[in-house]
Amino acid sequence: MSDIVMVSSAPPTSCDSNTYLLFHGETLLSNGVRASLYTVALVYCFIGLSAITARFFKSMEEIMKHSREVVTIDPHTKAPVVRQEKVWNYTIADIALLAFGTSFPQISLATIDAIRNLGQLTAGGLGPGTLVGSAAFDLFPIHAVCVVMPRPGSKKKISDLGVWLVELFWSFWAYIWLYVILEVWTPQVITLWEALLTVLQYGLLLLHAYAQDKRWPYVSIPFVRGERPEDWVPPEDASVDYDSIHDTNDALPITVQNDGIPDIFSVHSYGNQEYSKVPDTEGSSTMDHLVKNTQEDMPWPSIWRQQFIDAVSLESPQSRKMDSVCVRLTRIFWNAIIAPWKFLFAFVPPYHIAHGWIAFICSLTFISGIAYGVTKLTDQISCVTGVSPYVIAFTALAAGTSWPDLVASKIAAERQVTADSAIANITCSNSVNIYVGIGIPWLINTAYNFFVYQEPLYIDNAAGLSFSLLVFFATSFGCITVLVLRRIIIGAELGGPRLWAWVTSVYFMILWVVFVVFSSLGVSGII
């Protein structure tokens, strides 16, 4: 092996605590003060992720609204019948848009970590640690939140068990596959072909889920599909309950009576008006009222200009009408905190352009930029505190970057008539974390090492990562078992008797604590 390869194969050098990140004088501060500053900056980055996620959701809504005209011939009258058909399949949208989009912060972080480690034969642990920790956060805390979201006494169950079982299979197989390539085939080493097969399995997930949704013979489970959000249609005499339309303090979407919100990414018509149901976590109230069809016909430069006006406005017309001064001041204070993020993200083009795709791509770009800042802050926190980057990844990074997953699943569990999207987002996000979030970074590193050094990719602390996978398998089995028991005994995965809903929620949180504690001890070499 050449001298340059020997240098590249050495582990990365230890950090230099004398380098500054935020300002020049920070190196004169104590390590404790610096760690506190970096932690505050990290939390502010997570707030930025929540803000850009709002625009990201809006762009996905616009993509999902896209439909095409389908002309069929009536068999009786022989007259042509024109109907509108959605371009996106419901199941594929859950995996390709919802799960991929909400997992993009973790994917960006892992990819950036891989790119900055190019030239090293040993892969960094920040990306894989974050993605495995994110899987645990998705499975336990998000389930814990979702199970108590339905109104007291109401029950919400998965209507399409076949699709959920397919998604669950690929979710668990993703982590079995990761353990196999880490410990069985090529221990502590990832080859180019293993990385390539990891990425290709995302395509197999999409194909299998679509086949199950369409009930293709031989490759689908013959389960009868119940009512699901896509099929929900309001009766002809349905009307909006205007008394239930209110300005919410947490900037969540407006509600319709009787839980009549089937799809957080769709807009259903009521007469000549449209009713929007996409979460707006930017503190703006623009989504908290009915949106006229004519607004979408406004020139996009005017809409774009309005984005900047909304970004610098600390109060909305609705908040000025609030009777509670305390709540009003709290909202003003919160809007002042996130105003820099809102102004920055106002540069994202309006989501009305090109069916939302331009805003979709620009939102992903901003998310990648924030993820880069998160990686730099994590390096500095690890440097000044001596805490392993794996431990930070399992805890703070996993929770912060999984916030979009939590928001999406919470909204779906609270507002949809079934539990399909809320739980599907969890299982699909876990699959995306491995097939895309770990697969693509490892593919980048292995391809570089293969063509430059003719060497595989060595995994830093592979034993600790493998131990975390074993802990995840054990705790996730306990989670899925309880969901199955709730389906059999209570008749629904979410909701039900309030006491049992809270008991289930606490149980899921205990599982998460068990995972975090044992995984942190494992990667630190204590056990």
Side-chain angles (χ1 to χ4, degrees):
M1 187 180 294
S2 63
D3 291 340
I4 187 173
V5 175
M6 292 298 292
V7 171
S8 297
S9 61
T13 58
S14 59
C15 64
D16 184 4
S17 59
N18 293 322
T19 59
Y20 68 92
L21 180 63
L22 302 179
F23 53 89
H24 287 278
E26 71 184 57
T27 56
L28 302 177
L29 303 174
S30 66
N31 286 343
V33 173
R34 292 178 66 185
S36 300
L37 289 175
Y38 298 146
T39 302
V40 171
L42 189 64
V43 171
Y44 196 63
C45 285
F46 293 152
I47 294 175
L49 281 177
S50 297
I52 191 59
T53 297
R55 293 197 179 276
F56 183 75
F57 277 143
K58 291 176 184 179
S59 65
M60 282 197 293
E61 178 203 27
E62 197 69 19
I63 293 172
M64 283 298 299
K65 282 171 55 180
H66 188 205
S67 61
R68 60 172 180 264
E69 286 189 356
V70 177
V71 181
T72 58
I73 304 297
D74 190 291
H76 302 290
T77 63
K78 306 300 181 182
V81 178
V82 180
R83 60 185 177 86
Q84 294 291 325
E85 183 179 87
K86 279 189 174 182
V87 173
W88 279 88
N89 173 268
Y90 180 84
T91 298
I92 297 300
D94 268 346
I95 303 173
L97 290 180
L98 178 58
F100 179 81
T102 55
S103 297
F104 197 76
Q106 302 97 300
I107 296 171
S108 298
L109 190 148
T111 304
I112 292 171
D113 188 45
I115 292 175
R116 66 178 185 166
N117 279 291
L118 284 177
Q120 301 288 344
L121 294 184
T122 301
L126 191 62
T130 301
L131 289 160
V132 174
S134 175
F137 188 90
D138 287 350
L139 197 61
F140 305 130
I142 296 183
H143 266 128
V145 171
C146 289
V147 76
V148 296
M149 278 301 102
R151 292 180 301 182
S154 64
K155 302 176 183 178
K156 297 185 179 182
K157 64 181 181 181
I158 299 172
S159 64
D160 197 336
L161 276 176
V163 169
W164 179 68
L165 288 175
V166 167
E167 294 167 346
L168 187 65
F169 164 78
W170 283 99
S171 174
F172 273 95
W173 169 248
Y175 292 89
I176 295 173
W177 167 257
L178 184 59
Y179 185 84
V180 167
I181 61 178
L182 278 175
E183 295 293 336
V184 180
W185 279 0
T186 53
Q188 302 183 5
V189 168
I190 299 298
T191 65
L192 175 61
W193 302 112
E194 288 172 338
L196 184 60
L197 286 174
T198 302
V199 175
L200 291 178
Q201 287 181 77
Y202 179 64
L204 293 178
L205 163 64
L206 291 171
L207 181 61
H208 193 185
Y210 184 79
Q212 177 63 41
D213 182 74
K214 296 301 183 182
R215 297 301 191 271
W216 288 0
Y218 307 114
V219 293
S220 62
I221 306 172
F223 281 174
V224 177
R225 178 168 50 218
E227 179 191 12
R228 67 179 184 179
E230 182 185 46
D231 301 326
W232 182 87
V233 179
E236 293 183 0
D237 59 348
S239 59
V240 177
D241 182 11
Y242 290 92
D243 292 334
S244 68
I245 301 176
H246 53 84
D247 184 60
T248 56
N249 294 332
D250 53 358
L252 289 177
I254 47 183
T255 56
V256 179
Q257 195 176 25
N258 300 326
D259 288 336
I261 298 184
D263 189 347
I264 59 173
F265 297 130
S266 66
V267 171
H268 294 276
S269 298
Y270 294 88
N272 61 350
Q273 295 176 324
E274 287 187 344
Y275 204 51
S276 181
K277 297 169 282 298
V278 174
D280 186 357
T281 56
E282 296 178 8
S284 171
S285 62
T286 56
M287 303 298 291
D288 292 339
H289 53 78
L290 290 172
V291 181
K292 301 290 186 179
N293 282 331
T294 55
Q295 285 185 333
E296 295 195 359
D297 297 329
M298 291 175 57
W300 64 262
S302 301
I303 300 175
W304 205 341
R305 183 172 61 252
Q306 187 62 38
Q307 290 182 179
F308 288 94
I309 296 175
D310 292 339
V312 297
S313 299
L314 299 183
E315 276 197 286
S316 64
Q318 285 76 18
S319 63
R320 295 190 186 100
K321 299 176 183 178
M322 288 183 177
D323 295 329
S324 175
V325 177
C326 181
V327 172
R328 183 178 174 184
L329 291 177
T330 301
R331 171 163 284 190
I332 293 175
F333 176 73
W334 175 250
N335 286 340
I337 291 176
I338 64 175
W341 287 123
K342 290 172 62 178
F343 184 80
L344 177 64
F345 300 148
F347 286 95
V348 175
Y351 52 89
H352 308 83
I353 304 173
H355 301 295
W357 281 107
I358 296 179
F360 183 87
I361 295 171
C362 288
S363 298
L364 294 184
T365 303
F366 275 106
I367 290 174
S368 298
I370 297 175
Y372 176 77
V374 167
T375 59
K376 301 295 289 185
L377 287 167
T378 304
D379 288 342
Q380 288 296 96
I381 292 174
S382 177
C383 182
V384 299
T385 62
V387 178
S388 169
Y390 267 108
V391 176
I392 300 175
F394 279 133
T395 53
L397 292 188
T401 57
S402 295
W403 189 256
D405 287 313
L406 176 61
V407 171
S409 290
K410 175 187 177 294
I411 295 296
E414 188 177 25
R415 308 299 172 92
Q416 289 194 351
V417 295
T418 71
D420 290 69
S421 285
I423 296 180
N425 178 49
I426 296 171
T427 53
C428 293
S429 293
N430 285 353
S431 300
V432 171
N433 283 345
I434 298 300
Y435 300 134
V436 180
I438 290 183
I440 288 182
W442 279 356
L443 184 61
I444 293 172
N445 284 147
T446 54
Y448 185 90
N449 289 353
F450 180 81
F451 291 107
V452 176
Y453 303 130
Q454 289 76 48
E455 290 284 341
L457 179 67
Y458 297 92
I459 304 302
D460 179 40
N461 201 355
L465 186 59
S466 299
F467 179 79
S468 299
L469 290 173
L470 293 177
V471 176
F472 177 76
F473 288 142
T475 50
S476 60
F477 179 79
C479 175
I480 300 302
T481 300
V482 168
L483 287 178
V484 172
L485 289 176
R486 283 182 55 88
R487 177 71 176 232
I488 296 173
I489 299 173
I490 300 178
E493 289 81 9
L494 306 181
R498 207 61 177 167
L499 174 61
W500 289 110
W502 278 106
V503 168
T504 306
S505 179
V506 172
Y507 171 72
F508 288 155
M509 290 303 299
I510 292 175
L511 289 178
W512 183 60
V513 173
V514 170
F515 169 83
V516 170
V517 170
F518 278 87
S519 296
S520 298
L521 294 176
V523 298
S524 300
I526 299 177
I527 58 175

